[in-house]
Amino acid sequence: MAVTLEQARRVGYTCLKALLRFAFMVANNLVAIPSYVLYLIMLQPLRILDSKSFWYIEGVLFKWLLAMVASWGWWAGYTVVEWGDDVKAVSEDEAMVLVNHQATGDVCTLMMCLQDKGTVVRQMMWLMDHIFKYTNFGIVSLIHGDFFIRQGRTHRDQQLVLLKDHLEKYYRSRNRKWIVLFPEGGFLRKRRETSQAFAKKNNLPFLKHVTLPRLGATQVILKTLVAPQENGTPSGGDTRRKESKSKGLQWVIDTTIAYPKAEPIDIQTWILGYRQPTVTHVHYRIFPVKDVPAEPEALTNWLYQRFIEKEDLLTHFYETGAFPPPQGQTKAISREMTLSNLWLVAIQSFAFLSGGMWYCLFQYLYHCLF
């Protein structure tokens, strides 16, 4: 089939736009990430004198970095509509966020839709695959105190021990409040077949839109971060809890991400913006942690039930274009999540000005020394 002039122009425009966006993203990373690292190096004396203030500043810079990532999608027309419970109501409490995982764009979507949830972004900890340690954002996550987990049966037991130690060492000492994890342990397309085979073997529901979750990390987080009086079991980090007067983990936020036509957005699309503007839908359901069972078998069943519910939510969404109304209600209410373009421009401007400042400073030092 012959390509018309109009089609050629459209393809050319899309390629040019993608190239310019990629160039901007590279420049953005080259100034923002080194600036984040250098600011924190300069603030090391404050870390010794007033650790709380240091991690407050680090959290603000971390939130701005995530806002920059969110801006790449926002300006390409990749927006978010939210459904279900309003998580702003628990934004100042400690919470564990359970998210279904379809593509690399899931993380970007969360970076965007949590920006307007108070202090959540600057006080959150992420659990992510260890491969992300070697990306451009790896150094930022290492400094912030996120946990990189290795997948696979051979690493599983050791990783859970390391996770427990990591939480006890960093979670409350850095005043973290939300912890985000993907219990499926990988992307839907990679795990679906294995999960369905396991479900068939163990007489569990057949799932198409999610996979059966893994218990390990969820159990470690609950055991380590939930206050003893809430689940009746000892938890780690008691000394730090007393020092910070923390109430412990109070909520579990079951988060379901849905893409139109079940076509997830990956990080390449988020960066290059070659896909047409897309609305991603995010559904929240909040559970008090006291209602979450502590025993492994009961917790496994509880976690399976959450993902069975996710399957029902996504099935309804793909059939109707909307999530179902909450039980007892006749209509589901959606909320359009918005970001301020002025705020995003201000943050980007600060990043580039910081990059220029550090460049001039190093040029000056170089000339002074040599």
Side-chain angles (χ1 to χ4, degrees):
M1 182 182 294
V3 178
T4 66
L5 181 60
E6 181 61 29
Q7 289 173 326
R9 285 176 177 171
R10 192 179 302 117
V11 171
Y13 172 74
T14 301
C15 292
L16 177 61
K17 183 177 69 170
L19 182 63
L20 292 174
R21 283 176 59 86
F22 181 74
F24 175 79
M25 183 276 294
V26 171
N28 205 176
N29 275 272
L30 288 175
V31 295
I33 293 177
S35 293
Y36 166 88
V37 174
L38 290 168
Y39 277 127
L40 295 182
I41 290 174
M42 295 292 290
L43 288 171
Q44 287 304 302
L46 177 63
R47 182 178 181 178
I48 297 171
L49 297 172
D50 186 353
S51 176
K52 185 177 180 180
S53 295
F54 173 86
W55 289 112
Y56 175 88
I57 295 171
E58 185 279 333
V60 171
L61 295 175
F62 183 79
K63 179 177 180 177
W64 290 355
L65 282 177
L66 267 59
M68 292 177 202
V69 176
S71 73
W72 304 341
W74 181 258
W75 288 334
Y78 305 147
T79 57
V80 172
V81 166
E82 298 177 309
W83 303 75
D85 296 333
D86 185 358
V87 296
K88 288 183 181 179
V90 299
S91 62
E92 296 302 315
D93 298 334
E94 289 188 29
M96 175 173 64
V97 184
L98 307 176
V99 192
N100 62 313
H101 209 8
Q102 301 172 72
T104 48
D106 298 340
V107 175
C108 301
T109 295
L110 290 173
M111 287 180 178
M112 175 186 287
C113 65
L114 296 179
Q115 282 291 327
D116 67 342
K117 308 297 187 293
T119 62
V120 162
V121 174
R122 66 178 177 84
Q123 292 182 292
M124 72 194 312
M125 178 182 286
W126 297 76
L127 264 65
M128 60 188 78
D129 191 279
H130 80 286
I131 196 67
F132 287 101
K133 185 188 296 186
Y134 307 105
T135 65
N136 60 317
F137 216 77
I139 183 64
V140 174
S141 292
L142 280 170
I143 294 172
H144 184 69
D146 297 328
F147 184 76
F148 299 94
I149 191 165
R150 294 181 69 92
Q151 303 293 342
R153 187 173 300 176
T154 56
H155 304 290
R156 192 170 301 160
D157 292 340
Q158 180 194 30
Q159 290 299 297
L160 295 179
V161 172
L162 292 174
L163 173 59
K164 183 178 185 299
D165 292 342
H166 186 89
L167 292 173
E168 291 180 343
K169 186 175 181 180
Y170 297 117
Y171 189 80
R172 292 202 170 87
S173 67
R174 299 186 181 184
N175 195 30
R176 301 294 173 243
K177 289 191 174 181
W178 280 29
I179 183 164
V180 181
L181 69 155
F182 301 90
E184 291 165 293
F187 298 138
L188 173 64
R189 68 179 186 277
K190 293 183 177 181
R191 291 206 64 244
R192 178 159 41 199
E193 187 175 335
T194 303
S195 176
Q196 289 173 347
F198 178 84
K200 183 178 181 180
K201 182 179 178 181
N202 292 274
N203 197 29
L204 294 168
F206 183 86
L207 306 177
K208 295 190 299 181
H209 306 306
V210 294
T211 64
L212 289 170
R214 294 172 177 175
L215 176 68
T218 304
Q219 187 177 30
V220 168
I221 292 168
L222 290 172
K223 281 188 174 182
T224 309
L225 300 182
V226 174
Q229 66 272 19
E230 292 189 55
N231 71 347
T233 61
S235 59
D238 291 334
T239 301
R240 292 185 182 89
R241 182 175 294 113
K242 290 175 183 177
E243 289 175 354
S244 64
K245 297 181 180 179
S246 169
K247 296 179 181 178
L249 205 67
Q250 296 169 267
W251 310 99
V252 174
I253 303 174
D254 187 29
T255 304
T256 304
I257 299 176
Y259 299 95
K261 300 180 181 179
E263 297 175 354
I265 298 175
D266 54 28
I267 188 65
Q268 299 95 316
T269 306
W270 195 269
I271 292 170
L272 300 177
Y274 51 76
R275 182 167 165 176
Q276 291 298 310
T278 302
V279 179
T280 301
H281 297 256
V282 181
H283 184 279
Y284 306 104
R285 189 177 177 195
I286 302 173
F287 295 87
V289 78
K290 62 182 178 62
D291 294 340
V292 180
E295 294 302 316
E297 185 175 351
L299 178 58
T300 299
N301 292 332
W302 185 89
L303 199 56
Y304 280 177
Q305 188 58 41
R306 300 289 72 78
F307 277 76
I308 292 169
E309 290 175 1
K310 285 180 183 291
E311 177 78 10
D312 294 338
L313 286 171
L314 290 168
T315 298
H316 189 281
F317 177 84
Y318 295 140
E319 290 175 353
T320 66
F323 283 111
Q327 190 173 8
Q329 298 184 23
T330 58
K331 186 179 180 181
I333 305 298
S334 63
R335 304 175 297 275
E336 185 177 350
M337 184 267 162
T338 60
L339 290 175
S340 167
N341 286 316
L342 181 61
W343 178 60
L344 294 176
V345 169
I347 291 172
Q348 294 284 6
S349 299
F350 175 77
F352 283 100
L353 288 172
S354 295
M357 179 194 72
W358 290 116
Y359 176 78
C360 292
L361 177 61
F362 283 117
Q363 283 285 94
Y364 174 77
L365 292 175
Y366 178 82
H367 287 300
C368 287
L369 294 172
F370 303 101

